[in-house]
Amino acid sequence: MTSTETPLQLRSRAEALASRLPPLLVAAQHLAQSVELGEHGRRQSGQGEAFWQYRRAQPGDPAHRIDWRRSARSDRHYVQEKEWQAAHSVQLWVDPSPSLAFASDAALPEKREQAQLIALALAALLLRGGERVGLLGGAEVPKRGQMTLSRLADQLMFPSRDVPLSAHFAHRRARQVVFSDFLGSLETTRAFVETAQGRGQQGVLFQVLDPMEELFPFQGRVLFQDVAGGVRHDTREAADLRNRYLDRLASRKDELRDLANRAGWRFYSYHTQDPASAALLWLWNAIGEPSR
């Protein structure tokens, strides 16, 4: 709540956000269903806590592993196998910065809306595959189950607090997926990734850009102002700024790519006019395979 926002305005804004929650969930689930993946491939026999299946006992199996209750219903001995989770859990973070509340055209989604959609669709796929999913900075540890997706959607749209990425706690054995435009300072991002690297954690830096931010199609006199209203720049020859802007954007992408590579992470740059399904499939593969 800002200092100038009245209780009535706050209530109106909250109701507007709440009205988007069911459509966002439906859209995320439809997006997840559009990505045909087959079996995830992570579930396999190993040392774990969750029951996976019974199998017939084989020579060499220790007696304490035999499930005598199941074996009593047959003339054979059976052993319980547990489920082994290769990735354990995944934590998501969508940047709450004002810069993501931007769309250059009414036909395009805001960057934050698209980031939320892709994040929830990824969560739906992970949960369908038996993974644990949570939010960075959330009060709960990553969880499985059908209700988890609804809780994630609620927490994404109504974050309990707005703190820098570097202040969020990353679950010890989780992979991280960070959604942002990364157009501001990279100090907090760099600190977070380097801390995660020190813990042996892997993840993805997922950049979300509006096509106007990639093309810089401005000519003549233009007044540039950031979404938060704090920075203004008036120029009579916007075209003269284009090459410098594009060079800085390319340099920023190189910084992000280098940061990710050095930490064993992955980097992806996505534009809001592009199909979300292609980005989701890339994310699924990036999370599902070992970091290179």
Side-chain angles (χ1 to χ4, degrees), residues 97-103 110-112 227:
S97 300
S99 67
L100 267 75
F102 174 70
E110 287 187 359
K111 292 186 288 184
R112 179 172 295 114
V227 178

Side-chain angles (χ1 to χ4, degrees), residues 165-196:
L165 174 63
S166 58
H168 284 300
F169 172 75
H171 197 264
R172 184 169 177 265
R173 302 185 72 179
R175 292 190 178 193
Q176 323 299 326
V177 184
V178 178
F179 295 83
S180 177
D181 56 15
F182 300 110
L183 295 180
S185 171
L186 284 186
E187 290 183 10
T188 56
T189 302
R190 184 174 289 107
F192 178 82
V193 172
E194 290 175 351
T195 299

Side-chain angles (χ1 to χ4, degrees), residues 22-33:
L24 177 64
L25 269 174
V26 171
Q29 290 169 332
H30 285 173
L31 177 57
Q33 291 168 1

